[in-house]
Each structure stands twice: as C-alpha cells, then as structure tokens.
C-alpha cells in the first residue's frame, strides 16, 4: 500500500510539475495571426480607436500575414484608414509582402497626393529591390506626359528610388535619364539640362557620390566603377 501511495504521489508531483511549466512560446506566424484576427474584428465592428490600435499592432508585427491583411486597407473608403495602413506597412522593412501591398496601392491612391506620397516614403522604408522596377515604370510613365512630369509625386518617387540603395536603382535612374534626354533632344551648347534631368542627376549623386550631367557620361563611369560596389551600393572591400 505504501508503495502504491508513493507511486501515486510521484505521478501527481510529475503532473503538477508539467502543468506548472510555461507553455511553449508562440511562433511568429501564430503571433501575426492573432494580430490579423484582431484587425478583422476591429474593422468589422470596432470603434475608430480600436481600428487604429489593430492597424498599429499589425505594423509592429512585421510578417507576410499582417502585410497581406493590411493591403486591402489601402483602398478603404476612409482616407485616414489608408494613411494608417501605409504607416503600419512602412515599419515592415524587408518584408516582400509589405512592398507588394504598397505597390498595389498605387492605382487607388494616385489622385490622393498625401496618401500617395506616404506610400512612396513607405516603399523607400521597406527598401526592397523588387520595388525598383515598379517605381521606375511609374516615373517613366509620368515623365512622358507634360501635365504630370513636374508633379511633386514624381519628385518623391525619384527620391524613393534613390533611397533604395541597390545597383538596380542606379541602372533604373540611368535609364530614366536616357529617356528624358532622348525626348528632349540635344540641348544647346552651354544650356543646363531640363529640370527633370536635374532631379534624376541628384538622385544618382545620392547613390554614388558622383555628379555628371549627361547619360553617356554616367554610362562610361558605371562601366568603369560598377565592380567596385556590392549590390547594396557599399564599396567592395579590397
């Protein structure tokens, strides 16, 4: 009997020990899903404050799940919801889904300058090379039209492109410069380049520390110096 009692006591002690242990930590995906669930609930029936907290919670939990959940909010009927979603996505540096979400917001917000500017700044903050082609394509399209070529959003997009420190940004800016020069024709001797050229030249200078006026000079310099840079535009160590 004593043995049985001792055995039972040992089992109970073991069970109590197991129950007293901390539960295993949640995975990143589990934490992100909790934030997504809170966002869905808040957007359905929550107050404005609850929506704000839920959106911010997703932004503070960088993950594919939270980025994908925020993406539809960039087309929300309320501009303040769009703005808060963009701010949350801007915190997700290096998350591919965040970049995709921001890029998907171009069409819905192109006519909403403050939100569009925020999207451009957020793309720069997320800083993924995959956004370079999207930015370059949009800028090129605007530069081809006189009515949009000098808009502040174009200035901001060129700055955002320069803010993504990558060799592809240099090459994209060089192509933009070539397109501008081809459309403008050869400037008269001694004339300054068009205003759009100056924006792109400034962006190239920000990335490379160099400042040249025409596309052929950039091409020549890049051929000689590209190998001196890593993909992220840091100098190759000798």
């Amino acid at each position: 009997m004593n043995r049985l009692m001792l055995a039972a006591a040992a089992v109970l002690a073991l069970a109590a020990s197991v129950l007293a242990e901390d539960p295993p930590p949640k995975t990143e995906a589990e934490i992100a899903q909790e934030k997504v669930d809170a966002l869905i609930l808040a957007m359905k029936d929550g107050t404005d404050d609850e929506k704000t907290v839920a959106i911010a919670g997703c932004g503070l939990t960088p993950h594919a799940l939270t980025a994908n959940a925020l993406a539809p909010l960039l087309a929300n009927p309320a501009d303040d919801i769009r703005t808060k979603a963009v701010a949350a996505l801007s915190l997700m540096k290096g998350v591919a889904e965040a970049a995709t979400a921001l890029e998907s917001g171009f069409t819905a917000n192109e006519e909403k300058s403050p939100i569009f500017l925020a999207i451009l700044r957020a793309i720069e903050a997320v800083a993924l090379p995959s956004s370079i082609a999207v930015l370059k394509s949009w800028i090129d399209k605007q530069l081809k039209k006189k009515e949009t070529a000098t808009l502040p959003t174009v200035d901001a997009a060129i700055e955002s492109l320069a803010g993504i420190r990558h060799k592809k940004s240099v090459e994209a800016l060089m192509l933009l410069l070539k397109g501008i020069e081809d459309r403008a024709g050869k400037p008269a001797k001694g004339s300054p380049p068009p205003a759009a050229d100056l924006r792109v030249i400034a962006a190239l200078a920000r990335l490379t520390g160099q400042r040249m006026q025409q596309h052929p000079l950039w091409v020549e310099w890049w051929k000689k110096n590209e190998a001196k840079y890593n993909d992220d535009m840091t100098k190759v160590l000798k």
Side-chain angles (χ1 to χ4, degrees), residues 138-168:
W138 185 85
I139 294 165
D140 195 41
K141 181 181 175 183
Q142 307 312 311
L143 290 176
K144 288 176 180 176
K145 298 182 289 185
K146 285 185 178 179
E147 63 271 24
T148 59
T150 58
L151 290 176
T153 47
V154 178
D155 295 352
I158 292 171
E159 279 294 303
S160 292
L161 184 51
I164 301 175
R165 297 194 62 80
H166 198 279
K167 282 184 173 182
K168 290 181 180 178

Side-chain angles (χ1 to χ4, degrees), residues 174-187:
M174 287 168 58
L175 286 172
L176 288 172
L177 186 61
K178 183 179 187 302
I180 294 164
E181 291 179 359
D182 288 348
R183 288 189 293 273
K186 213 168 186 180

Side-chain angles (χ1 to χ4, degrees), residues 210-228:
Q210 305 297 311
R211 197 171 188 92
M212 290 162 280
Q213 296 297 306
Q214 281 84 35
H215 175 261
L217 297 176
W218 278 105
V219 172
E220 183 181 352
W221 179 84
W222 190 237
K223 282 180 180 177
K224 292 178 180 177
N225 293 277
E226 178 188 359
K228 298 177 183 178

Side-chain angles (χ1 to χ4, degrees), residues 46-110:
T47 64
D48 288 346
D49 286 345
E50 287 169 340
K51 291 174 183 177
T52 298
V53 169
I55 292 170
C58 283
L60 293 171
T61 313
H63 194 275
L65 291 171
T66 49
N68 289 334
L70 289 168
L73 300 187
L74 270 64
N76 190 276
D79 284 0
D80 67 319
I81 292 294
R82 298 188 190 202
T83 301
K84 289 168 184 174
V86 171
L89 287 164
S90 74
L91 301 176
M92 300 191 185
K93 184 173 183 177
V95 177
E97 290 78 7
T100 301
L102 291 162
E103 292 157 15
S104 72
F106 271 36
T107 302
N109 295 285
E110 200 166 357

